Amino acid sequence: MIPVRCFTCGKVIADVWEEYKARTEQGEDPKTVLDELGVRRYCCRRMLLTHAELINEIVPYL
Amino acid sequence: MTARDRRAGSGEEGSERGAAMEVEILELTDMEVKFILRGVEPSFANALRRAMLTEVPKLAIDEVNIYENTSPLFDEILALRLALIPLRAENIDEFVFPEECECKGEGCGFCQVSFTLSAQSPESVGERVVYSDELISSDEKVRPYPNIPIVKLISRETRINGIKTISRQSVMLEAIARLGVGKKHAKWQPATVCGYKNLPVIEIDEKKCDLCGKCVEECPKQILEATTVLRVKDEKLCSLCKLCEDVCDRDAIKVSYDKNSFIFNVESDGSYDAWELVLRAARALRGKYVKLAVVVAEVAERTKALA
């Protein structure tokens, strides 16, 4: 699960994660998507850029 | 009362005391405000900044009773995620701190709001994300920040003694939000980004400048322009790096800052509008000054009595 807020500055970033994911999977440049979603600072940008969604991989072992 | 009325009000108060404090708003949106504060001491600017971070109370989820949790996340992580959701309360002034409440911290409608969440994964194989919008508030004036994914619930096929079944996940909990200040925990901090810098002052000596253009190239913010004269496009953007000063052989450019003017940059987390946050911080600060004045007066009186 994407963290609710940016670790560094505390801005809420979880609300844009799904749109970011959908749009980058469509082949859009992450840079333009982040700019359009209003994620300006590099601390918040890395939260989305580097996030790995692992929850589905944990499920078989629950 | 709109933002403009309040601004006008504070202006009048300033002139009454003959103070030269001045506020110029550069940008204002719901979540962000950028303004220049002129004619104040650095200590006051810092006090205002700290008040915005730690003195403005807001609601945040503080206690979670989990009745059922078969989701992939542990109870603790679930509670942590819930706590970080900003809550926006239209009636925030009606709430009191649990320590100061008549119920003596037992919990009542004046000091807490409860949210319930009940969700289950799909009946067939698949998954569903539970969002913050699904938190049902006991007070309709208190709303959680929308569209934050809290947890993902997954239904999958399992076999027990060769018989296929669907194992579903569910979450059922009650979350209790209380009033608090940022001093206690970051979840009660209504401002995320909140900082200031001194207003830059760039002086150009036209007699010395030979328009070589080195400083124009050197400036990382690209705020200088050399046409017929060397000109500063927007000095507010200057980061005071002084690279232009270093590169100039003729000492024609000088970068300094105004000691008593500050460019503030404030971003709200969503629990208040940005302008409201600044005003509440100023009010909190005034409350502290009033308290201090009372104590000082009392001390003065006692010393007089002793003498």
Side-chain angles (χ1 to χ4, degrees), chain B:
Chain B
M1 203 185 252
T2 65
R4 197 167 293 141
D5 294 336
R6 285 173 197 259
R7 250 179 276 149
S10 62
E12 276 161 26
E13 217 170 63
S15 58
E16 229 169 75
R17 288 173 197 162
M21 192 171 98
E22 207 181 290
V23 180
E24 183 192 333
I25 294 173
L26 303 174
E27 283 165 40
L28 179 66
T29 60
D30 282 355
M31 296 284 274
E32 285 170 48
V33 60
K34 201 171 182 182
F35 61 93
I36 305 181
L37 187 63
R38 288 197 178 86
V40 297
E41 291 294 316
S43 56
F44 178 79
N46 193 36
L48 185 63
R49 180 189 70 85
R50 292 185 57 151
M52 280 189 257
L53 289 169
T54 61
E55 299 291 347
V56 180
K58 64 165 269 191
L59 286 169
I61 289 170
D62 192 34
E63 194 181 318
V64 184
N65 297 318
I66 296 173
Y67 302 114
E68 195 181 342
N69 176 23
T70 49
S71 77
L73 297 186
F74 291 126
D75 295 358
E76 293 89 335
I77 296 178
L78 211 55
L80 173 80
R81 291 181 70 85
L82 289 167
L84 289 176
I85 297 170
L87 304 173
R88 198 187 187 91
E90 288 163 31
N91 54 346
I92 187 79
D93 292 317
E94 291 167 20
F95 289 99
V96 290
F97 290 104
E99 310 86 70
E100 292 165 12
C101 188
E102 280 177 16
C103 69
K104 290 178 182 122
E106 265 176 49
C108 64
F110 295 109
C111 62
Q112 67 183 37
V113 184
S114 105
F115 292 87
T116 48
L117 178 71
S118 172
Q120 209 170 13
S121 61
E123 274 179 47
S124 52
V125 174
E127 56 190 45
R128 107 172 175 89
V129 179
V130 183
Y131 293 97
S132 55
D133 313 53
E134 288 170 58
L135 285 164
I136 301 162
S137 174
S138 66
D139 185 337
E140 58 185 23
K141 285 178 182 162
V142 183
R143 294 184 314 273
Y145 195 98
N147 211 27
I148 297 175
I150 299 170
V151 65
K152 194 188 258 179
L153 300 174
I154 300 162
S155 289
R156 64 203 163 102
E157 201 178 76
T158 45
R159 280 167 186 270
I160 301 167
N161 294 333
I163 302 163
K164 276 188 201 169
T165 53
I166 303 283
S167 76
R168 295 172 76 185
Q169 297 178 339
S170 64
V171 164
M172 203 193 288
L173 56 84
E174 185 198 13
I176 295 160
R178 299 198 174 99
L179 205 62
V181 288
K183 240 186 250 178
K184 219 164 141 195
H185 192 287
K187 68 185 174 187
W188 281 304
Q189 190 180 299
T192 55
V193 172
C194 178
Y196 60 80
K197 69 169 181 185
N198 281 92
L199 186 68
V201 178
I202 304 169
E203 284 165 62
I204 295 162
D205 192 339
E206 281 177 28
K207 282 176 199 151
K208 284 183 187 167
C209 180
D210 61 353
L211 290 172
C212 66
K214 275 187 201 160
C215 53
V216 179
E217 268 171 50
E218 198 68 25
C219 180
K221 300 273 175 186
Q222 298 179 333
I223 54 167
L224 296 168
E225 194 177 51
T227 45
T228 51
V229 284
L230 185 63
R231 206 174 64 86
V232 184
K233 276 189 270 181
D234 187 0
E235 58 186 9
K236 289 193 282 289
L237 296 177
C238 176
S239 63
L240 300 169
C241 68
K242 301 197 177 183
L243 285 173
C244 51
E245 246 183 65
D246 294 343
V247 85
C248 188
D249 319 318
R250 303 168 71 105
D251 285 337
I253 191 161
K254 202 171 167 288
V255 179
S256 59
Y257 56 85
D258 183 345
K259 258 192 327 199
N260 297 319
S261 298
F262 302 88
I263 303 175
F264 268 83
N265 206 346
V266 180
E267 218 170 284
S268 158
D269 71 343
S271 39
Y272 290 108
D273 281 342
W275 66 265
E276 198 184 350
L277 171 61
V278 180
L279 271 168
R280 281 178 183 274
R283 235 179 278 156
L285 213 51
R286 183 165 60 191
K288 291 207 153 210
Y289 288 144
V290 168
K291 256 185 216 167
L292 180 69
V294 170
V295 173
V296 170
E298 211 179 282
V299 172
E301 218 163 86
R302 276 194 207 169
T303 40
K304 210 189 272 173
L306 279 174

Side-chain angles (χ1 to χ4, degrees), chain A residues 17-31:
Chain A
W17 163 248
E18 281 175 8
E19 189 180 340
Y20 169 81
K21 196 179 159 207
R23 285 174 65 179
T24 46
E25 275 171 7
Q26 293 272 313
E28 269 188 77
D29 185 7
K31 179 177 182 260

